[in-house]
Amino acid sequence: MKINLKLEEWAQFGLSVFLFSQLDFAWWWFPVLILLPDIGMVGYFFGTRAGAVVYNLFHHKALAVMIGVLGFVLSDQVMLLAGIILYGHASMDRAFGYGLKYSDDFKHTHLGWIGHKP
């Protein structure tokens, strides 16, 4: 992945840190929760197709934004936190080269193959 795309993803991750800092949660909640969206990998216990669907649900930025906006509109700090964490996690993953998954293989992402192509 090109360096400018990685920088863009890191900037989006930075935005999530900034948005989190505007909430009324202790700072330590961010590092505790930032890896939680990887719970979506449990879908792979049911095969690559189900795994890709569940994983992508937990790593889709548009869903993260919708949850965050809904939390903002409803003045629900927990929902807003969930949206920020989902968004920050997806940005961090993409900065490291992990993208949304195709259903044929966990290592096949919209950013290309993780590692080497089988």
Side-chain angles (χ1 to χ4, degrees), residues 1-116:
M1 182 166 58
K2 295 181 181 178
I3 190 72
N4 59 339
L5 294 177
K6 286 184 179 186
L7 290 174
E8 183 178 46
E9 293 299 339
W10 283 119
Q12 291 177 50
F13 178 76
L15 174 63
S16 73
V17 172
F18 170 75
L19 292 173
F20 174 80
S21 75
Q22 302 305 300
L23 300 177
D24 293 327
F25 291 94
W27 69 267
W28 54 266
W29 278 110
F30 192 85
V32 166
L33 296 174
I34 196 63
L35 295 178
L36 189 61
D38 279 336
I39 192 103
M41 286 191 282
V42 299
Y44 281 95
F45 286 127
F46 303 100
T48 56
R49 185 175 191 80
V53 169
V54 175
Y55 181 92
N56 290 344
L57 182 67
F58 281 85
H59 290 79
H60 202 286
K61 287 184 183 179
L63 180 61
V65 169
M66 287 189 295
I67 291 170
V69 167
L70 188 59
F72 179 77
V73 169
L74 297 175
S75 297
D76 185 329
Q77 290 272 308
V78 174
M79 188 175 287
L80 186 52
L81 172 65
I84 291 169
I85 292 296
L86 288 168
Y87 187 83
H89 178 86
S91 297
M92 180 182 67
D93 267 8
R94 290 189 179 111
F96 284 127
Y98 298 98
L100 298 174
K101 308 297 185 191
Y102 287 107
S103 61
D104 62 332
D105 191 301
F106 177 79
K107 293 183 177 184
H108 190 193
T109 77
H110 83 286
L111 299 174
W113 286 89
I114 299 171
H116 59 45

